[in-house]
């Protein structure tokens, strides 16, 4: 039998809400039907290669703390393959059906691009075998175009055209492997696509270059026959002062302006939404309204810290509101709930990786169940529908269908003389109603 990396931990069972076993699910039961669909298909959980395999627990004041026997600090292909085996042992023990990677967290940057490509190809071949052995699937792949010093000024938005070409080469290869490994989608997070000061930045030119880059990606996708969607992942700041893909609305506007909207959906991340000063459900609504709610990066921030802490999502209100919005827009098709989250550097043992994912999965499972109950109850949706009832007939209907003019509105208002029918928004009542289901 192959070497085990987590020999003391077996497959994580479902034991139900009464269990106190920290290595069991209390709420996530893969085959339990919610609204007629198994939980696993609603949630489509994914684990990330970067935090889980490569994260060392360092922060800006201290070095790594975590025990990760597979992270030897070596860059050889052999080490990369060993890590891949550790990762798949981990995800299969948790029953997580999908995973995600950046090209450069699977293998190293190499001594040059050719060397990096060769390493990536070797690990890619291995991943294909392990995916076939375990049944674990790739949710999405992406290119890490922000760590290497060559990307200091950005990648597609760098002031230097050579850097643009390196970024394009990396995305091309990452798309090849995403396609080869049966990835459901492909993600673009604008790592350093933004600026630190406008004094040295030609914003228009940089945005045009980003548009060009994404068009090239669309052309390449067609060329290789990759059928999954492209996802853009908004984030307002960090590492740059201003990231071009700052929030869902900004991304949608960018995609429309550059004629790219039909090829892209959004991958909404909780902590990124919070950094933008928005709630997760706001960002999901904005994406959903545009028919672009693709996937989510599941984590959460800290209300008192202003940066991307990438904590595991353990807030029931967050997951219930998230799943309520996801269900409203028809659920995930190609996307899923991807744990772009890392354990705290104080949670340094291998077991903590299990506890963290179990916590996230159970919190999402409960959020899903709560959301389904709120939908079955119907009072919340009825309230909203009723609140807008003046638009269902008469002048409201005429305006919505584009048949009314300003003159029609004026005639209507003059006839009424005054508005008398305003009703309470009942926020507190609705919040209490929401609490009934928590
Ligand atoms: C960074 C972040 C990335 C993307 C993929 O904040 O969320 O890990 O999810 O590049
Ligand atoms: Co993310």
């Amino acid at each position: 039998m192959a070497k085990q990396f987590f020999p003391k931990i077996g497959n994580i069972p479902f034991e139900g809400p009464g269990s106190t076993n920290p290595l069991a699910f209390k709420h996530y039961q893969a085959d339990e039907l919610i609204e007629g669909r198994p939980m696993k298909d609603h949630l489509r959980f994914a684990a990330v290669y970067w935090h889980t395999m490569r994260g060392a627990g360092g922060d800006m004041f201290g070095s790594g703390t975590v025990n990760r026997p597979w992270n030897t600090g070596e860059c050889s292909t052999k080490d990369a393959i060993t890590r891949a085996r550790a990762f798949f042992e981990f995800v299969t023990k948790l029953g997580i059906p999908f995973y995600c990677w950046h090209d450069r967290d699977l293998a190293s940057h190499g001594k040059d691009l050719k060397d990096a490509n060769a390493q990536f190809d070797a690990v890619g071949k291995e991943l294909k075998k392990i995916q076939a052995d375990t049944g674990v699937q790739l949710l999405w792949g992406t290119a890490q175009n922000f760590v290497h010093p060559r990307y200091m000024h950005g990648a597609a938005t760098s002031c230097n055209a050579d850097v643009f070409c390196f970024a394009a080469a990396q995305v091309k290869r990452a798309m090849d492997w995403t396609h080869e490994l049966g990835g459901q989608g492909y993600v673009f997070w604008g790592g350093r696509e933004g600026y630190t000061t406008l004094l040295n930045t030609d914003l228009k030119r940089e945005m045009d270059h980003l548009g060009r880059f994404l068009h090239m990606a669309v052309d390449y996708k067609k060329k290789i026959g990759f059928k999954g969607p492209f996802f853009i992942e908004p984030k307002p700041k960090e590492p740059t002062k201003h990231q071009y893909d700052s929030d869902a609305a900004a991304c949608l506007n960018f995609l429309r302006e550059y004629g790219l909207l039909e090829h892209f959906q959004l991958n909404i991340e909780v902590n990124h939404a919070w950094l933008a000063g928005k709630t997760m459900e706001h960002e999901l609504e904005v994406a959903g309204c545009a028919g672009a709610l693709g996937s989510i990066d599941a984590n959460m921030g800290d209300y008192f810290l202003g940066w991307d802490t990438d904590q595991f999502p353990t807030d029931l209100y967050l997951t219930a509101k998230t799943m309520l919005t996801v269900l409203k827009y028809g659920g995930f098709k190609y996307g899923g709930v991807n744990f772009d989250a890392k354990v705290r550097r104080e949670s340094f043992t291998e077991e903590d990786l299990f506890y963290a994912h179990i916590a996230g999965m159970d919190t999402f499972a409960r959020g899903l169940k709560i959301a389904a109950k709120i939908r079955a109850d119907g009072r919340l949706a009825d309230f909203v529908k009723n609140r807008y009832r003046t638009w269902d007939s008469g002048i409201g209907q005429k305006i919505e269908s584009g048949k009314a003019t300003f003159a029609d509105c004026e005639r209507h208002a003059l006839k009424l003389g005054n508005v008398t029918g305003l009703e309470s928004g009942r926020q507190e009542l609705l919040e209490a109603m929401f609490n009934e289901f928590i």
Side-chain angles (χ1 to χ4, degrees):
M1 195 173 152
K3 173 181 160 49
Q4 290 236 342
F5 288 86
F6 308 95
K8 286 187 254 153
I9 299 176
N11 291 344
I12 304 299
F14 170 75
E15 292 185 359
S19 168
T20 55
N21 176 2
L23 288 171
F25 293 115
K26 326 291 181 294
H27 299 279
Y28 179 63
Q29 197 177 9
D31 294 322
E32 182 180 335
L33 295 182
I34 305 288
E35 298 193 359
R37 194 179 175 203
M39 250 190 203
K40 65 171 185 301
D41 297 344
H42 275 290
L43 295 166
R44 292 165 59 84
F45 285 130
V48 299
Y49 211 89
W50 49 101
H51 293 310
T52 303
M53 278 299 108
R54 308 307 305 271
D59 66 15
M60 55 282 212
F61 294 101
S63 52
T65 56
V66 295
N67 297 342
R68 301 288 184 260
W70 55 85
N71 253 350
T72 52
E74 301 287 326
C75 299
S76 74
T77 306
K78 193 166 151 278
D79 287 293
I81 289 172
T82 306
R83 268 195 305 269
R85 297 221 165 266
F87 183 70
F88 279 84
E89 183 191 332
F90 175 73
V91 291
T92 46
K93 283 186 166 169
L94 278 158
I96 293 180
F98 293 100
Y99 76 112
C100 300
W101 46 248
H102 294 95
D103 51 357
R104 297 295 181 260
D105 45 53
L106 292 176
S108 86
H109 297 273
K111 59 179 190 306
D112 56 20
L113 184 61
K114 206 168 155 199
D115 185 31
N117 281 345
Q119 290 194 28
F120 186 16
D121 290 350
V123 181
K125 281 186 196 130
E126 193 65 19
L127 290 176
K128 193 162 182 187
K129 275 191 243 153
I130 317 182
Q131 282 187 205
D133 288 350
T134 57
V136 174
Q137 290 175 268
L138 179 63
L139 190 67
W140 48 259
T142 188
Q144 189 211 64
N145 285 353
F146 43 90
V147 169
H148 196 282
R150 76 170 67 97
Y151 297 120
M152 67 171 77
H153 301 296
T157 64
S158 173
C159 48
N160 183 306
D162 295 340
V163 175
F164 182 104
C165 294
F166 269 81
Q170 253 186 267
V171 169
K172 178 175 175 289
R173 197 64 150 217
M175 281 173 63
D176 284 339
W177 273 110
T178 301
H179 186 37
E180 180 68 21
L181 295 173
Q184 305 275 301
Y186 183 89
V187 161
F188 291 86
W189 167 60
R192 287 181 195 274
E193 312 296 25
Y195 63 79
T196 309
T197 172
L198 279 173
L199 291 176
N200 66 14
T201 303
D202 186 334
L203 186 141
K204 168 84 170 85
R205 218 166 172 184
E206 292 201 0
M207 301 273 273
D208 286 352
H209 295 165
L210 186 56
R212 193 84 296 285
F213 190 89
L214 296 179
H215 271 292
M216 289 181 182
V218 169
D219 292 344
Y220 191 64
K221 174 182 158 164
K222 288 183 188 153
K223 183 163 182 242
I224 61 176
F226 178 60
K227 297 280 180 286
F230 281 160
F231 299 124
I232 291 227
E233 185 179 319
K235 184 176 185 181
K237 56 189 167 194
E238 203 194 277
T240 72
K241 168 198 173 81
H242 174 83
Q243 304 269 130
Y244 293 134
D245 299 332
S246 50
D247 64 7
C251 287
L252 291 169
N253 182 57
F254 175 87
L255 292 169
R256 268 192 209 103
E257 190 173 337
Y258 286 90
L260 286 158
L261 194 53
E262 65 178 300
H263 305 289
F264 285 82
Q265 299 175 356
L266 301 184
N267 178 37
I268 306 291
E269 176 163 327
V270 181
N271 209 160
H272 296 179
W274 292 10
L275 289 178
K278 310 278 168 21
T279 61
M280 179 64 172
E281 59 274 21
H282 168 87
E283 290 291 87
L284 292 169
E285 275 290 345
V286 171
C289 288
L293 201 175
S295 197
I296 67 176
D297 268 12
N299 58 20
M300 62 183 200
D302 184 294
Y303 294 120
F304 297 95
L305 299 176
W307 61 89
D308 200 9
T309 58
D310 281 343
Q311 289 166 226
F312 274 83
T314 52
D315 180 331
L316 276 181
Y317 283 91
L318 168 69
T319 58
K321 287 179 177 172
T322 297
M323 291 317 295
L324 194 57
T325 316
V326 168
L327 290 176
K328 176 176 162 187
Y329 287 102
F332 299 118
K333 192 165 176 218
Y334 297 95
V337 175
N338 173 46
F339 290 113
D340 191 357
K342 59 185 178 205
V343 289
R344 302 304 84 194
R345 75 195 286 274
E346 301 88 338
S347 306
F348 60 88
T349 73
E350 292 103 306
E351 290 83 34
D352 287 305
L353 283 176
F354 280 87
Y355 298 147
H357 282 81
I358 291 169
M361 290 165 81
D362 265 347
T363 311
F364 259 92
R366 273 183 85 180
L368 171 64
K369 288 196 250 184
I370 291 165
K373 280 196 188 127
I374 290 173
R375 279 156 61 83
D377 172 83
R379 276 178 293 159
L380 205 55
D382 287 349
F383 181 90
V384 176
K385 190 168 184 326
N386 189 48
R387 188 163 181 244
Y388 291 86
R389 68 187 182 281
T390 58
W391 296 90
D392 296 335
S393 60
I395 188 70
Q397 195 182 44
K398 212 168 154 192
I399 297 168
E400 275 198 354
S401 58
K403 290 190 187 117
T405 63
F406 262 9
D408 294 325
C409 293
E410 185 186 43
R411 213 171 300 117
H412 183 78
L414 285 171
K415 202 166 101 200
L416 286 178
N418 223 327
V419 176
T420 52
L422 290 182
E423 292 165 355
S424 165
R426 302 256 189 262
Q427 181 170 335
E428 300 76 8
L429 176 87
L430 297 172
E431 284 168 351
M433 195 190 282
F434 199 96
N435 282 353
E436 283 177 34
F437 299 89
I438 295 287

